[in-house]
Amino acid sequence: MDKTSPTTRDRKRALPRKSNAPAGAVAADGQTNGLASGKSVKRADKIDKKANGSTTEVSKADNTHFDIARQSTYSALTDGFATGTDLPPREQLRQLLLTVKAVRAGDFSVRMPLGREGLISEIGEVMNDIIELNENMANEYLRVRNTVGQEGKMGDRVSLGTVKGSWATSVNSVNLLIGDLVQPTTEIARVITSVASGDLSQKMSLDIDGRGLKGEFLRIGTTVNSMVDQLNSFAAEVTRVAKEVGTEGRLGGQADVRGASGVWRDITDNVNSLASNLTNQVRNIAKVTTAVAKGDLSQKITVDAKGEIYELKNTINVMVD
């Protein structure tokens, strides 16, 4: 007998063994039995073709028509199967990949369809929790942006409930940023409100919570405090000159507001001009009346005057004549 020809025993060994598993079932090695196996392979091949085409759609539409592509992808993958439950492991992994791609494109509304059990189902459940947390965080950022930035509710903050690790760090960082922006704004509002009420004793603190202000915050704080100092100096000088000239009769006083410019300089100059005119007029009138009292009728009032001071000037000059 030719040694190269297989024996009957060898041919029996080469024949596939029958399986007691039901048709189409997945064996431990991942292979299916019988004709149902061929049907399942064909069915999986069809889904592969659909999934591959849909995956290409998703890849091309990451930035523009992602939602439409995602819907068509899931329709192709779940056609003929119970969603996420009876899909073969390869298709479950494909769904996981498409879900991750959707999240990468910024779509936090997508969720991984979950199977009944198994490692892929557990991964999908964890993935869905992560997506949900990202969705909640994005919604919170949008809400706080509206309440703090547009509605002016300075005390509102981001809240995600009980979170840990980098999630908590991210939330705390955003809340600290809001606080760092709100506190100088609140300080400015406090000082301006005091100034509007006539209280010039308040100044903006340049040190908040033990930290010195920097950058634009420091510049704004310094400007506000300089404004308050300017107002204080101006008010004090105007009050002093008005009291000396108008109340105490000490003529010749002038307001001296250091560093005044613009409107502040104009107001200071006007106050000094008023005090100077009053001083010259009163002194000229006093000089002439004193001369008349001593019998000297050669003196007349020569100072420029208007209104009632002009009338008084003419009356005295007529009396002297």
Side-chain angles (χ1 to χ4, degrees):
M1 182 176 63
D2 187 1
K3 293 183 180 181
T4 59
S5 61
T7 63
T8 303
R9 184 176 181 182
D10 291 334
R11 285 197 300 272
K12 287 182 179 180
R13 287 179 179 177
L15 292 175
R17 288 186 291 178
K18 294 183 178 179
S19 173
N20 293 327
V26 179
D29 58 359
Q31 302 294 326
T32 53
N33 66 307
L35 294 175
S37 173
K39 293 180 181 179
S40 298
V41 170
K42 290 180 181 179
R43 196 174 196 181
D45 288 341
K46 289 181 181 179
I47 290 178
D48 280 343
K49 292 178 181 179
K50 292 181 180 181
N52 287 334
S54 299
T55 304
T56 303
E57 288 182 30
V58 173
S59 177
K60 291 179 179 180
D62 272 347
N63 297 322
T64 54
H65 305 292
F66 183 80
D67 289 337
I68 298 175
R70 178 172 56 82
Q71 292 174 3
S72 65
T73 298
Y74 288 146
S75 296
L77 288 174
T78 58
D79 186 19
F81 293 94
T83 303
T85 57
D86 297 331
L87 286 174
R90 181 176 179 179
E91 301 309 325
Q92 292 184 39
L93 288 174
R94 193 179 301 279
Q95 280 195 340
L96 179 60
L97 174 61
L98 295 174
T99 302
V100 172
K101 285 186 175 182
V103 174
R104 183 185 64 181
D107 182 6
F108 294 150
S109 65
V110 68
R111 294 293 185 274
M112 170 71 182
L114 300 179
R116 292 190 178 92
E117 60 184 9
L119 180 60
I120 297 178
S121 178
E122 292 180 14
I123 294 173
E125 185 175 357
V126 174
M127 173 62 67
N128 287 345
D129 290 341
I130 295 174
I131 297 171
E132 183 178 2
L133 193 54
N134 273 282
E135 184 178 28
N136 292 340
M137 180 176 288
N139 291 336
E140 269 295 283
Y141 289 164
L142 179 61
R143 182 188 67 79
V144 172
R145 176 254 183 185
N146 291 331
T147 56
V148 176
Q150 297 184 349
E151 299 174 12
K153 298 178 180 178
M154 299 296 189
D156 203 0
R157 295 293 184 272
V158 174
S159 176
L160 288 180
T162 303
V163 290
K164 299 179 180 179
S166 295
W167 298 108
T169 302
S170 178
V171 171
N172 291 336
S173 296
V174 172
N175 287 337
L176 287 174
L177 172 62
I178 296 173
D180 289 340
L181 290 171
V182 165
Q183 284 182 319
T185 304
T186 304
E187 269 291 284
I188 293 171
R190 180 185 65 82
V191 173
I192 292 177
T193 300
S194 298
V195 171
S197 301
D199 181 5
L200 300 179
S201 64
Q202 301 297 318
K203 297 182 75 172
M204 181 175 170
S205 174
L206 301 180
D207 186 272
I208 298 177
D209 292 339
R211 295 178 292 108
L213 296 181
K214 298 179 181 180
E216 288 298 307
F217 291 135
L218 178 60
R219 184 181 67 83
I220 293 173
T222 303
T223 301
V224 169
N225 289 342
S226 296
M227 180 192 70
V228 175
D229 289 338
Q230 199 83 0
L231 286 171
N232 259 319
S233 178
F234 173 77
E237 281 297 290
V238 169
T239 301
R240 179 185 64 79
V241 172
K243 185 177 180 181
E244 288 179 357
V245 176
T247 303
E248 300 174 359
R250 294 163 57 188
L251 303 178
Q254 294 282 285
D256 181 18
V257 181
R258 295 181 180 179
S261 60
V263 174
W264 303 118
R265 183 75 265 170
D266 293 340
I267 295 175
T268 302
D269 291 343
N270 288 333
V271 170
N272 287 337
S273 178
L274 170 64
S276 179
N277 286 338
L278 285 173
T279 297
N280 293 335
Q281 291 166 359
V282 170
R283 283 178 176 173
N284 196 207
I285 292 172
K287 177 183 176 182
V288 173
T289 54
T290 301
V292 171
K294 293 180 179 180
D296 182 3
L297 301 180
S298 63
Q299 303 292 324
K300 284 191 174 183
I301 299 174
T302 59
V303 70
D304 290 334
K306 294 180 181 179
E308 293 186 15
I309 299 294
Y310 178 74
E311 293 177 3
L312 178 60
K313 169 186 172 181
N314 286 339
T315 300
I316 293 175
N317 285 341
V318 169
M319 178 188 70
V320 171
D321 291 338

